[in-house]
Amino acid sequence: AYVSHGSPEILMHDDDPWIEAFRKVGRGIMESRPETVVTISPHFFVPSNYFLIPSSERLACMHDYYGFPAELYEIRCAFANDLEFVNSVLSAARDYGLNVMLTDKWGLDHGSWLPLRYMELDAVKFATISINSLPAQEHIKLGRLIREASQQKRVAVIATGSPTHRTDLMYFGLQKEAYEFDKKLIELIEGGQIEKVPSLEGTEEYRYSSPEGMMKPFYVLLGALGNRSGKVLAYDVPVAGLSMIAAEFK
């Protein structure tokens, strides 16, 4: 799945429409009866040429956001880390020429745990892997590595982030619009051509939208999926400069 995690303020409003979008994605994931769910968040970024994967038994939620109401820093939740899958990733990394390292300094940032909180993924273990400074093809390779490491079990991958992420436009009070980059992305997702998404890099539409995480979480998902068509379950532009999407792939 590819899902925008949105603002932490979603946690303060039980009637936020994106809560139902998260639940819908969760129901779709549970139809495949996964044993492990791997999240790729734009907020787990390493400014280097290696990837990090947490090694702790429990992935605790991180309050990696600032300037929000105090109640949002009081939320506590943790998710069981699939250490068997973690070891499989480390073993497969050697064959792919990727540098994957363990860390005990990370849990799940809000790009992961916020949507997971509503997805109701029962009896499932989790894992999360960082993105880094390497280009698109290396992140696609990471996705293929995840697919190989998943051969002995059923694994679902959730990439998060907003396709348009221009917080500057939010403050200018500009009119909301469906952004051209988002339109092209949706067309490729629903047309079964997600392998063409990296070719959007460098286009005027890509530069204007400034996708969250430079689309690298999506590239990892692309590598894990192969070339599958998807279905966009929800799309919205809640404020100028920020778009939200929820798409599933089966």
Side-chain angles (χ1 to χ4, degrees), residues 17-18 42 49 54 79 85 93 101 108 137 149 169 177 179 186 221 241 245 250:
W18 277 92
N49 63 352
F79 302 80
F85 174 79
M101 302 171 60
L108 287 182
Q137 289 304 318
L169 299 182
E177 60 178 300
Y179 298 100
I186 290 170
L221 176 65
I245 191 171
K250 294 184 178 179

Side-chain angles (χ1 to χ4, degrees), residues 17-248:
W18 277 92
I19 292 177
E20 179 54 32
F22 295 149
R23 287 175 175 154
K24 186 179 292 187
V25 170
R27 289 193 293 268
I29 290 172
M30 290 306 293
E31 286 177 3
S32 64
R33 297 180 293 114
E35 300 167 82
T36 304
V37 171
V38 181
T39 65
I40 310 293
S41 165
H43 295 282
F44 191 6
F45 173 76
V46 179
S48 189
N49 63 352
Y50 57 85
F51 297 94
L52 289 179
I53 185 167
S55 59
S56 55
E57 291 189 1
R58 304 283 291 176
L59 298 170
C61 72
M62 302 170 61
H63 304 105
D64 58 319
Y65 40 78
Y66 308 95
F68 289 93
E71 64 189 272
L72 294 181
Y73 299 91
E74 297 170 0
I75 296 171
R76 297 290 183 271
C77 57
F79 302 80
N81 193 7
D82 188 342
L83 296 179
E84 181 182 0
F85 174 79
V86 169
N87 288 329
S88 295
V89 169
L90 292 174
S91 297
R94 301 185 188 99
D95 296 332
Y96 280 81
L98 293 177
N99 189 3
V100 180
M101 302 171 60
L102 294 174
T103 179
D104 60 0
K105 307 297 185 185
W106 201 268
L108 287 182
D109 59 71
H110 76 281
S112 289
W113 70 260
L114 194 160
L116 289 180
R117 186 175 175 86
Y118 297 105
M119 286 186 181
E120 300 174 350
L121 304 178
D122 300 325
V124 172
K125 288 189 174 182
F126 297 85
T128 189
I129 307 177
S130 74
I131 59 174
N132 63 24
S133 300
L134 294 174
Q137 289 304 318
E138 296 302 299
H139 287 78
I140 293 171
K141 189 187 296 185
L142 175 64
R144 292 174 181 149
L145 186 163
I146 291 171
R147 183 169 54 186
E148 178 174 323
S150 307
Q151 289 181 354
Q152 304 303 318
K153 58 174 59 184
R154 294 184 299 275
V155 175
V157 178
I158 301 174
T160 68
S162 292
T164 292
H165 195 257
R166 289 281 306 276
T167 53
D168 56 329
L169 299 182
M170 188 188 314
Y171 296 111
F172 293 153
L174 300 181
Q175 184 175 352
K176 296 188 296 183
E177 60 178 300
Y179 298 100
E180 291 303 314
F181 174 77
D182 299 3
K183 293 177 184 177
K184 291 187 175 182
L185 176 64
I186 290 170
E187 181 180 341
L188 293 175
I189 289 173
E190 298 195 322
Q193 297 180 301
I194 58 174
E195 82 283 358
K196 293 184 179 180
V197 172
S199 69
L200 298 178
E201 278 194 14
T203 63
E204 182 178 348
E205 294 85 0
Y206 176 95
R207 290 194 297 269
Y208 185 82
S209 283
S210 186
E212 191 172 17
M214 297 164 283
M215 292 300 291
K216 291 180 179 181
F218 187 93
Y219 299 153
V220 178
L221 176 65
L222 166 59
L225 287 173
N227 191 31
R228 295 192 208 175
S229 62
K231 180 181 180 181
V232 175
L233 304 175
Y235 173 79
D236 189 25
V237 181
V239 294
L242 179 66
S243 64
M244 299 274 288
I245 191 171
E248 65 178 8

